[in-house]
Amino acid sequence: MKHQIVRLASCLAVTSLALSTPALAQEIGAQPTFADISLNAGFMPDPTRIQVTAGGSIDAAHSRGGSCVGKIARAPDVRVTYEAGSSPLIIKVNSSEDTTLVMNGANGRWYCDDDGAGGVNPRIRLNNPDSGVYEIWVGTYADEPVSATVLITELSD
């Protein structure tokens, strides 16, 4: 009986600790830090530019795995509600620092890139994008946040 009580107390302590520890992962649906926009196919201006501060305390490699890298914030930097047409949807980041890109697509799939736009800038291209909500995180390798510009375009890159 004593062993069962000790085991139960141990289980309760571990459960209590797990419930009180904050999750160290990005939060889908959180209020975006820099922009919450709606775009329809053929939007103007193209590209649409959004100034952000890249970085955060979450290791994207740990929270997302796969090809995700960099330090990102809990809340998305940008949320785009997009009505697709026949053009591709391209998300790029421009910065003088090395940045990364993590995106939760309208289809619920995660996309990540490090240097796809050349140099130290990331890019994600969706040739047949879905209509819906896209949440975007811009990461960095730096310990300090860095200035960056998110570019959203349907034009060929």
Side-chain angles (χ1 to χ4, degrees):
M1 179 72 166
K2 263 188 176 179
H3 294 300
Q4 289 175 333
I5 293 172
V6 169
R7 196 174 332 165
L8 178 61
S10 294
C11 287
L12 289 173
V14 169
T15 301
S16 174
L17 180 60
L19 293 174
S20 65
T21 303
L24 295 177
Q26 62 273 34
E27 186 177 331
I28 298 170
Q31 181 65 37
T33 304
F34 298 99
D36 191 347
I37 63 173
S38 294
L39 297 172
N40 294 324
F43 61 85
M44 292 303 241
D46 187 343
T48 293
R49 300 171 186 269
I50 303 161
Q51 294 298 125
V52 302
T53 302
S57 61
I58 297 169
D59 180 353
H62 178 67
S63 68
R64 292 275 39 105
S67 62
C68 296
V69 292
K71 297 174 186 173
I72 58 174
R74 180 192 61 78
D77 295 310
V78 176
R79 178 181 298 125
V80 179
T81 303
Y82 178 67
E83 184 62 39
S86 59
S87 297
L89 179 64
I90 303 159
I91 313 293
K92 301 189 286 189
V93 177
N94 282 344
S95 179
S96 60
E97 302 292 329
D98 195 358
T99 54
T100 66
L101 190 54
V102 176
M103 182 174 76
N104 185 7
N107 59 5
R109 183 172 167 212
W110 288 92
Y111 302 86
C112 299
D113 188 66
D114 186 3
D115 298 328
V120 296
N121 292 311
R123 176 192 70 139
I124 296 172
R125 178 187 176 104
L126 303 174
N127 289 322
N128 297 300
D130 293 310
S131 294
V133 176
Y134 291 81
E135 292 188 314
I136 301 164
W137 288 261
V138 181
T140 182
Y141 291 104
D143 288 332
E144 298 297 321
V146 300
S147 179
T149 303
V150 174
L151 294 98
I152 305 167
T153 183
E154 294 176 315
L155 302 175
S156 179
D157 57 337

